[in-house]
Amino acid sequence: MRKGLLLTAAASSLALVGSLTACGSESNGDGTGSDTKKPKIGVILPDSKSSARWETADRKYLGEAFKAAGVDYDIQNAQGDKQQFQTIADQMITSGVNVLVIVNLDSGTGKAVLDKAKSQGVATIDYDRLTLGGSAQYYVSFDNTAVGKLQGEGLSKCLSDMKATKPIVATLNGSPTDNNATLFAEGYNGVLTPKYKSGEYVKGPDQSVPDWDNAQAGTIFEQMLTSQPKIGGVLAANDGLGNAVIAVLRKERRNGQVPVTGQDATVQGLQNILAGDQCMTVYKAVKKEADATARLAISLAKGEKGTTNATVEDPEGKRKVPSVLETPVAIYKDNVKDVVDDGFVTKEELCTGKYAALCAEAGIK
């Protein structure tokens, strides 16, 4: 097939040119610049600030999968810097990767990188975030609309459990440059909008948080609370935003009284759930996502066709992207244990200090 021919041409024409120096890099290549026919895969992660998962989970699981397959790889983190993102991509292409996996910082930067890789015969995969208008051959993620639906249902469950009457619901959406944030909102708005229309809930302030920045989220929520002091529930699009909300509520001595959602099942998010300050989170088994990406990348690096289970619409590119989508899971206090049992977080990380007793109450042993 065309992809296989392109990959073969890329592998034979590009040579490894030594170790890379961009921040947050990891490679198992020898860095000597010697020719090699072994497949080589490049991965660019977005940052460390928007979520702890990129360094604590994705880097780990992808690296383990590539090592097990015996392929050369280079994993780097752009640390939120769009120029650095492009520099890393250029270095990887020059170094001879025949597959490039990216988590874009925004669709504009992602498209430029994907188009350049394509022009050099490098196969491409969008990881976790779809690059709108981009040219990635494949996309691997979770069903992100389903993630949002779980968040909307979770907030509804927690408000119901609290017997809230016509609560004012505030919403902190994710970054407006992240297509995933759009999909999350599609999911939770599908649950909440009918409740606003029926009068069961009152629609409160609704705002996006640029770059998923937690500090900005805290400032935004303080402003929301000033304008609507009686906010009774918060749809926060991930655990970092949720924690920023909880910090503000704590200052007002209202933490635990206002249900707050999250996503990513971070240690901090799970601790907030155990403490009763956060209503729920959404667990996305990153290892499944990373393993699926690794399998796909390895197949492409060997000139083989990838296996997918879905297609996703790119509305800007007006194309359907072959995809692998995994299934998310809602996590409440009574099933935090499942995340530990799955190995995503350890008891040692989660059950420190005051959380030890809470872990025991939750059956985490």
Side-chain angles (χ1 to χ4, degrees), residues 76-318:
Q76 298 196 44
N77 193 317
Q79 297 298 358
D81 186 323
K82 295 175 186 178
Q83 183 175 348
Q84 181 70 1
F85 192 98
Q86 292 181 309
T87 299
I88 292 171
D90 288 343
Q91 292 174 329
M92 286 183 173
I93 293 168
T94 301
S95 78
V97 300
N98 47 359
V99 180
L100 183 64
V101 179
I102 71 165
V103 187
N104 71 56
L105 289 171
D106 63 20
S107 286
T109 307
K111 174 176 167 50
V113 164
L114 292 169
D115 288 350
K116 184 165 187 178
K118 181 180 179 181
S119 73
Q120 298 296 314
V122 177
T124 51
I125 299 173
D126 268 332
Y127 180 53
D128 198 74
R129 300 173 181 171
L130 181 66
T131 301
L132 297 180
S135 55
Q137 292 164 260
Y138 294 92
Y139 171 52
V140 183
S141 189
F142 284 82
D143 183 335
N144 291 310
T145 304
V147 170
K149 183 180 179 185
L150 291 177
Q151 291 175 312
E153 291 171 345
L155 183 60
S156 296
K157 176 183 183 301
C158 294
L159 287 168
S160 177
D161 290 347
M162 295 179 71
K163 296 180 170 55
T165 303
K166 294 190 175 182
I168 298 171
V169 175
T171 303
L172 272 79
N173 307 290
S175 174
T177 61
D178 181 356
N179 184 58
N180 282 2
T182 302
L183 297 175
F184 302 148
E186 182 181 307
Y188 53 70
N189 286 333
V191 175
L192 298 176
T193 298
K195 294 181 181 293
Y196 298 143
K197 289 181 176 179
S198 71
E200 184 179 350
Y201 297 167
V202 177
K203 183 172 176 59
D206 186 327
Q207 193 167 336
S208 295
V209 180
D211 300 322
W212 294 93
D213 186 277
N214 298 330
Q216 288 192 63
T219 300
I220 289 168
F221 184 67
E222 282 183 320
Q223 294 167 348
M224 288 180 170
L225 205 55
T226 299
S227 67
Q228 293 272 13
K230 294 185 179 181
I231 286 172
V234 182
L235 194 301
N238 77 356
D239 288 346
L241 305 186
N243 189 65
V245 168
I246 290 164
V248 174
L249 291 172
R250 189 174 288 120
K251 287 192 295 184
E252 300 293 323
R253 297 184 180 180
R254 293 185 64 195
N255 56 304
Q257 300 172 31
V258 179
V260 180
T261 65
Q263 175 193 172
D264 289 338
T266 63
V267 169
Q268 185 177 66
L270 295 173
Q271 288 176 336
N272 283 336
I273 291 172
L274 291 172
D277 291 340
Q278 184 168 322
C279 157
M280 57 83 69
T281 188
V282 178
Y283 172 43
K284 300 184 296 186
V286 175
K287 187 175 190 306
K288 291 182 180 178
E289 184 183 21
D291 286 349
T293 300
R295 285 193 298 271
L296 185 56
I298 291 162
S299 293
L300 295 177
K302 294 178 178 179
E304 300 167 359
K305 184 178 179 181
T307 300
T308 61
N309 63 7
T311 58
V312 169
E313 182 76 25
D314 172 3
E316 287 191 15
K318 294 180 172 55

Side-chain angles (χ1 to χ4, degrees), residues 51-84:
S51 178
R53 62 166 282 192
W54 302 117
E55 286 296 321
T56 62
D58 297 85
R59 178 186 289 274
K60 172 188 172 184
Y61 295 135
L62 287 166
E64 288 174 351
F66 294 144
K67 282 179 183 176
V71 298
D72 285 340
Y73 66 95
D74 184 12
I75 302 174
Q76 298 196 44
N77 193 317
Q79 297 298 358
D81 186 323
K82 295 175 186 178
Q83 183 175 348
Q84 181 70 1

